[in-house]
Amino acid sequence: MLYCGAVQTYHPPPMTAPKEKPWTGRFTEPTDAFVEAFTASVEFDQRLYRHDIAGSIAHARMLAHVGVLTSAERDAIIAGLAEILAEIERGEFPWSIRLEDVHMNIEARLTERIGPAGKKLHTGRSRNDQVATDVRLYLRDEIDTIRAELERLIHALVELAEREAETLMPGFTHLQTAQPITFGHHMLAWAEMLLRDRGRLHDCRCRVNVMPLGAAALAGTSYPIDRAFTARELGFDAVAENSLDAVSDRDFAIEFCAFAALLGTHLSRMSEELVLWSSSQFGFVDIADAFCTGSSIMPQKKNPDVPELVRGKAGRLNGHLIALLTLMKGQPLAYNKDNQEDKEPLFDAIDTVKGCLKVYADMVPRITVQREALRAAALRGFSTATDLADYLVRKGVPFRDAHEIVGKAVRYCIEAGRDLPELTAAELAAFSPVITEEVYAVLSLEGSVAARNHIGGTAPEQVKAAARRVRARLAEL
Ligand code: ARG
């Protein structure tokens, strides 16, 4: 199930010979071989190794700080963990499925390397608070990476919006030509969706950055731990207030997946437009060859695979959100093994979001806007009909009457196979005597967009100002 995009850098080495588990004391027979494989998580949770080691180092420092470990024991643990980190990164760590998960693999290796001091590391903690801490630390780092990629994409959209602030195109409702807009305005609509996603990611990070460590198995620990010390070491903003909640809460992972699902929905909508726009029927944009693929049978084809695939990824991101919500819905307090199932959906959501954002941030600057085709499309479909109605209103005609008058003019055009600006002043005046020569100014595309000159409007001047405000908002938070 692990998604291996170009963004995933760590490739786990194969599993090696079995080792002894740390909890066999009360058992009379070894674990069934299939059960061992079925319950193990090391194949996917080993990606937490860096954060597991960081958490252990902070825990060891805290234990020495409160006098539970000697400074010699602490130093031996820290040095041993540093060696293990290097060993993992060299791809030489002997991962063992018998040791179940990343936590027990690293702890067992530590004892193997440094002897009895290694066995003291787990004092005052449990894998239950350890895993919750590791996942939060890992997710916090990934959130920061994702945020940077999201901002790179928003910047690319802002640049495109500024470049195409004056470019005219048809705006659609019901996918029918509605009113002229500027291409830049459309790009900034996409930027707004993504800015909300960025806000959601920021909010999510606040609740991710709370430390469960110290909750131990579920009830806390009898050692004189200093949770604030550990939290400072690890850069957590706060410590979880309730030990039962600390080990069982996965809201933060659900929130991240909700962010991912909504971002995926936005990217999917953007993709749908790019797929339509790059078709020969629309011909609005051209996506660089580097982001398209050909057909093995039809030589003329250039397919928008990147937007199509990103549109498809939305489905899997929605799936991960539903998987986690369903995972949690029936769980009693506190930790249950069910929680091990949080990782694959969360990890895949992270990888998928990173992949989609990277490919989009790289692709957007390589979109060529076909200004002539956009203009020609905006001229079709009576896109300035509303402007004609507004013109009549300015001349004293009530809006509902104006609507009716323009509707009749449009029907006349459809029957004659012509467009509104092609009618003579006399023909137009036949629909309402208030219409005079100056009507052509409002029937032009430029006149139509320039008239929508208020905050949030499509006028080129407004698009340029809005683009500047997006940059400022990106610099702010
Ligand atoms: N691999 C486990 C998980 O991901 C770690 C915690 C196991 N705790 C336990 N009591 N079995 O959730």
Side-chain angles (χ1 to χ4, degrees):
M1 159 137 186
L2 278 189
Y3 164 79
C4 289
V7 285
Q8 196 187 339
T9 48
Y10 177 67
H11 299 286
M15 299 291 148
T16 54
K19 299 233 180 62
E20 264 329 302
K21 301 181 206 306
W23 46 252
T24 49
R26 61 102 65 220
F27 286 76
T28 54
E29 63 170 347
T31 320
D32 174 270
F34 180 75
V35 169
E36 197 160 77
F38 185 74
T39 53
S41 55
V42 64
E43 271 174 291
F44 50 84
D45 70 14
Q46 58 183 273
R47 74 156 78 188
L48 298 172
Y49 72 90
R50 227 180 298 125
H51 302 91
D52 188 73
I53 288 173
S56 289
I57 289 175
H59 182 64
R61 286 208 172 109
M62 183 278 289
L63 289 178
H65 175 70
V66 300
V68 171
L69 289 182
T70 65
S71 47
E73 286 166 337
R74 173 198 62 200
D75 294 345
I77 288 171
I78 293 174
L81 289 170
E83 281 170 28
I84 289 171
L85 179 65
E87 191 176 34
I88 295 173
E89 292 191 332
R90 284 195 308 273
E92 290 167 7
F93 186 89
W95 295 106
S96 159
I97 212 160
R98 182 161 289 187
L99 289 170
E100 213 176 301
D101 55 26
V102 62
H103 323 293
M104 294 207 294
N105 266 268
I106 290 177
E107 195 195 321
R109 185 70 174 156
L110 181 68
T111 302
E112 219 170 82
R113 281 178 160 274
I114 70 165
K119 292 191 189 170
K120 294 192 175 180
L121 171 62
H122 213 51
T123 313
R125 83 175 176 185
S126 149
R127 275 184 299 150
N128 298 351
D129 58 344
Q130 186 180 0
V131 68
T133 302
D134 291 4
V135 175
R136 284 171 184 267
L137 287 173
Y138 170 79
L139 180 57
R140 188 180 72 185
D141 275 356
E142 294 292 355
I143 284 175
D144 294 342
T145 305
I146 289 167
R147 176 181 171 139
E149 279 298 85
L150 187 53
E151 291 177 353
R152 190 162 74 89
L153 172 55
I154 297 171
H155 271 120
L157 291 172
V158 171
E159 259 158 49
L160 187 53
E162 282 175 331
R163 201 160 70 227
E164 307 295 339
E166 325 250 346
T167 304
L168 296 159
M169 69 178 286
F172 299 96
T173 59
H174 313 269
L175 205 56
Q176 310 286 320
T177 299
Q179 291 172 354
I181 57 168
T182 49
F183 192 88
H185 196 51
H186 201 115
M187 292 304 100
L188 291 184
W190 288 0
E192 286 298 326
M193 302 178 193
L194 300 182
L195 281 160
R196 287 193 296 277
D197 293 322
R198 177 170 168 271
R200 268 183 286 274
L201 186 64
H202 179 82
D203 292 346
C204 168
R205 193 189 191 281
C206 300
R207 280 176 294 277
V208 167
N209 204 25
V210 176
M211 189 187 76
L213 215 55
L218 76 164
T221 173
S222 54
Y223 296 95
I225 57 170
D226 182 345
R227 297 183 72 202
F229 179 99
T230 322
R232 261 195 315 277
E233 287 283 310
L234 293 170
F236 279 113
D237 294 330
V239 300
E241 286 281 343
N242 180 290
S243 64
L244 297 174
D245 180 51
V247 291
S248 66
D249 169 34
R250 294 295 181 274
D251 292 2
F252 65 95
I254 296 175
E255 279 188 52
F256 177 83
C257 286
F259 149 81
L262 198 38
L263 170 65
T265 300
H266 292 151
L267 293 174
S268 177
R269 295 183 67 188
M270 291 159 60
S271 295
E272 170 65 9
E273 293 189 322
L274 286 178
V275 170
L276 283 173
W277 291 356
S278 62
S279 69
S280 55
Q281 284 72 15
F282 277 77
F284 285 4
V285 296
D286 189 56
I287 300 171
D289 284 1
F291 295 87
C292 296
T293 60
S295 157
S296 55
I297 177 167
M298 297 167 283
Q300 85 284 10
K301 294 276 279 185
K302 175 172 156 181
N303 296 327
D305 281 28
V306 166
E308 286 174 282
L309 201 50
V310 170
R311 188 175 59 189
K313 299 277 187 199
R316 96 197 244 159
L317 291 172
N318 288 348
H320 295 326
L321 172 60
I322 298 302
L324 289 194
L325 284 167
T326 313
L327 173 69
M328 297 311 295
K329 74 169 277 297
Q331 281 197 51
L333 291 173
Y335 177 87
N336 303 283
K337 184 74 169 179
D338 314 38
N339 280 352
Q340 184 164 291
E341 283 287 308
D342 64 352
K343 288 171 199 60
E344 287 163 291
L346 178 65
F347 294 167
D348 189 73
I350 290 169
D351 293 343
T352 303
V353 161
K354 278 161 73 179
C356 292
L357 287 175
K358 175 178 167 40
V359 80
Y360 247 79
D362 291 347
M363 178 183 70
V364 165
R366 309 281 325 273
I367 292 175
T368 308
V369 176
Q370 307 292 6
R371 294 180 184 162
E372 282 316 305
L374 284 163
R375 190 188 166 78
L379 286 170
R380 289 190 300 271
F382 311 103
S383 65
T384 55
T386 313
D387 297 276
L388 179 56
D390 290 343
Y391 166 86
L392 294 172
V393 169
R394 281 197 299 278
K395 296 259 179 173
V397 181
F399 183 77
R400 277 294 155 227
D401 295 339
H403 189 285
E404 182 72 14
I405 291 165
V406 178
K408 287 193 173 121
V410 166
R411 199 170 69 215
Y412 174 82
C413 285
I414 292 169
E415 278 157 14
R418 295 159 74 194
D419 213 330
L420 283 173
E422 293 164 23
L423 301 186
T424 65
E427 278 177 298
L428 283 165
F431 294 98
S432 168
V434 302
I435 297 177
T436 60
E437 276 292 337
E438 84 251 338
V439 72
Y440 292 107
V442 305
L443 290 182
S444 78
L445 300 177
E446 285 78 5
S448 173
V449 295
R452 285 156 173 81
N453 192 15
H454 52 77
I455 287 187
T458 194
E461 205 182 302
Q462 291 295 336
V463 170
K464 287 175 203 160
R468 280 193 298 276
R469 287 198 300 275
V470 172
R471 285 188 203 284
R473 285 154 72 193
L474 281 173
E476 241 165 49
L477 189 74

